[in-house]
């Protein structure tokens, strides 16, 4: 069986879809599973255990310059790569016009079918062309976690029952945790960057939490994904390092696969609702996820049954430092137990 998954973006949505690969592998061990994704997220999918082929595209960029010869050439090369295989099942896990277009362009094997969502789910984007293109449109429960939405759609498309446990299947080389003489408990990564300003946590809160973690024996790692996030990382590091040198470390800009390796060497993560924060969840790291909106039921880590080692904290306009600190202590207690 040859199966094509279509989930183009964004980073958090791609991470939430990773368990589908592991579900299919468990149900059909000999299946070939390919995935179409935005090029910037392809390095992370290269870490997905059991994924046969990652087909990168740049639809976000192409639609801004669709009239140029360079874009037409790139689009043509993408179609050639997409249509190299004939698929028994093409599953549009995104539910948008752009993903429906990709699903339509994919080549079917004799008897093959295209599957897609038949309805919108709470808090998620949905566009009608996805069901018009599909041979089979599948309705799912509207109030559903983002991970379970994809898992349920794929399971019903292919006719299997997904396992109770959620496995993300990220392959990251096992390496010892990074420690420092003055910070023997290792590093805690602060994932402060997010695509929306209203999801951010105040800078002063990050500094106050970092000071508590430094005192408790943790060094703080401050990854970033763009110039604005780099400025925030540097501001937090400057404040923490003013108290004691090496209290915080700002790494260079890392591609997603290297960032996943860096996170895997951390003792844990504190982050806002963002794609990188969801990578930490996928790596099964002790994790506190900060929510300014009551949407953790849809994207948060609490649904995965990690026994308290991963949790979310919600308050408006934002959770306080004490609430996040207590949540971290509870995660640590679960890990130690």
């Amino acid at each position: 069986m040859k199966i094509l998954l279509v989930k183009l973006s964004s980073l958090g949505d791609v991470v939430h879809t990773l368990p589908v690969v592991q579900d299919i592998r468990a149900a059909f061990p000999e299946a070939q599973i390919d995935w179409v994704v935005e090029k910037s997220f392809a390095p992370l999918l290269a870490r997905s255990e059991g994924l046969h082929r990652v087909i990168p595209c740049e639809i976000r960029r192409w639609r801004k310059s669709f009239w140029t010869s360079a874009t037409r050439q790139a689009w043509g090369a993408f179609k050639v790569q997409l249509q190299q295989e004939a698929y028994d099942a093409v599953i549009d896990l995104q539910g948008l016009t752009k993903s429906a277009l990709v699903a339509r362009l994919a080549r079917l094997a004799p008897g093959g079918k295209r599957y897609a969502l038949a309805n919108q789910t709470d808090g998620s984007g949905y566009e009608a062309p996805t069901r018009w293109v599909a041979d089979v449109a599948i309705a799912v429960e509207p109030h559903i976690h983002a991970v379970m939405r994809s898992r349920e759609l794929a399971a019903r498309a292919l006719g299997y029952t997904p396992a109770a446990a959620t496995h993300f299947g990220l392959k990251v080389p096992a390496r010892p945790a990074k420690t420092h003489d003055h910070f023997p408990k290792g590093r805690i990564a602060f994932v402060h960057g997010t695509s929306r300003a209203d999801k951010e946590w105040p800078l002063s809160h990050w500094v106050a939490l970092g000071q508590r973690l430094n005192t408790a024996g943790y060094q703080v790692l401050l990854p970033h994904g763009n110039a604005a996030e780099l400025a925030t990382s540097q501001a937090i590091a400057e404040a923490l390092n003013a108290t004691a040198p090496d209290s915080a470390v700002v790494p260079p800009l890392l591609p997603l696969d290297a960032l996943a390796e860096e996170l895997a060497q951390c003792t844990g993560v504190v982050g806002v609702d963002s794609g990188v924060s969801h990578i930490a969840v996928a790596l099964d790291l002790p994790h506190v996820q900060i929510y300014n909106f009551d949407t953790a039921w849809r994207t948060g880590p609490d649904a995965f049954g990690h026994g308290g080692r991963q949790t979310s904290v919600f308050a408006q306009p934002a959770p306080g430092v004490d609430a996040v600190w207590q949540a971290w202590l509870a995660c640590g207690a679960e890990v130690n137990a």
Side-chain angles (χ1 to χ4, degrees), residues 286-287 305-311 326-337:
H287 185 28
H306 291 303
R309 60 187 282 120
Q310 296 180 346
T311 190
Q326 292 300 324
W328 169 253
L329 292 178
C331 288
E334 289 293 335
V335 172
N336 293 332

Side-chain angles (χ1 to χ4, degrees), residues 9-303:
S9 59
S10 58
L11 177 56
D13 293 337
V14 170
V15 174
H16 284 148
T17 307
L18 285 170
V20 170
V21 177
Q22 307 312 311
D23 288 346
I24 296 174
R25 292 180 68 218
F28 306 104
E30 302 302 319
Q32 173 186 311
I33 309 168
D34 296 349
W35 188 326
V36 185
V37 73
E38 281 283 339
K39 183 178 179 180
S40 58
F41 307 134
L44 184 68
L45 286 191
R47 302 285 188 180
S48 178
E49 188 173 2
L51 196 59
H52 175 260
R53 188 166 66 119
V54 178
I55 306 171
C57 65
E58 294 185 89
I59 292 177
R60 285 176 167 178
R61 183 173 67 85
W62 293 337
R63 65 187 179 187
K64 296 177 183 178
S65 59
F66 62 88
W67 62 89
T68 67
S69 60
T71 295
R72 290 198 299 271
Q73 185 177 13
W75 176 253
F78 164 67
K79 287 198 294 183
V80 169
Q81 188 177 10
L82 176 65
Q83 294 172 349
Q84 282 179 6
E85 301 275 6
Y87 293 100
D88 300 291
V90 175
I91 309 176
D92 176 2
L93 294 160
Q94 190 144 20
L96 300 178
T97 300
K98 61 182 181 180
S99 59
L101 172 62
V102 171
R104 178 63 181 172
L105 287 173
R107 190 160 58 94
L108 291 179
K113 292 183 178 180
R114 297 180 177 89
Y115 301 87
L117 285 165
N119 62 294
Q120 184 174 17
T121 57
D122 295 344
S124 297
Y126 183 79
E127 293 169 351
T130 189
R131 64 173 177 265
W132 299 341
V133 166
D135 299 303
V136 181
I138 298 171
V140 299
E141 165 62 40
H143 192 78
I144 191 171
H145 193 281
V147 171
M148 289 309 303
R149 181 179 80 158
S150 293
R151 294 184 72 196
E152 181 175 331
L153 174 58
R156 292 177 60 186
L158 299 177
Y160 63 84
T161 301
T166 303
H167 299 290
F168 288 85
L170 278 182
K171 297 181 295 183
V172 178
R175 295 178 181 174
K178 291 185 177 180
T179 59
H180 185 282
D181 289 343
H182 300 301
F183 304 102
K185 293 185 179 179
R187 289 180 173 178
I188 303 296
F190 279 3
V191 180
H192 57 77
T194 180
S195 59
R196 285 171 40 186
D198 57 359
K199 290 184 177 182
E200 294 175 354
W201 207 40
L203 179 64
S204 60
H205 287 21
W206 287 114
V207 173
L209 180 65
Q211 289 170 340
R212 295 191 188 190
L213 287 165
N214 289 157
T215 300
Y218 298 100
Q219 191 180 47
V220 173
L221 179 73
L222 294 157
H224 51 90
N226 54 46
E229 292 177 11
L230 173 59
T232 300
S233 290
Q234 291 173 333
I236 297 171
E238 182 178 359
L240 296 179
N241 290 333
T243 303
D246 298 322
S247 294
V249 176
V250 180
L253 180 65
L254 298 171
L256 289 176
D257 53 346
L259 177 57
E261 290 186 20
E262 194 72 28
L263 291 176
Q265 295 179 72
C266 290
T267 303
V269 176
V270 178
V272 294
D273 177 18
S274 71
V276 176
S277 193
H278 297 311
I279 291 176
V281 174
L283 292 171
D284 196 25
L285 294 169
H287 185 28
V288 178
Q289 206 164 75
I290 300 167
Y291 281 81
N292 300 341
F293 298 91
D294 192 13
T295 54
W297 67 266
R298 182 169 61 85
T299 60
D302 308 77

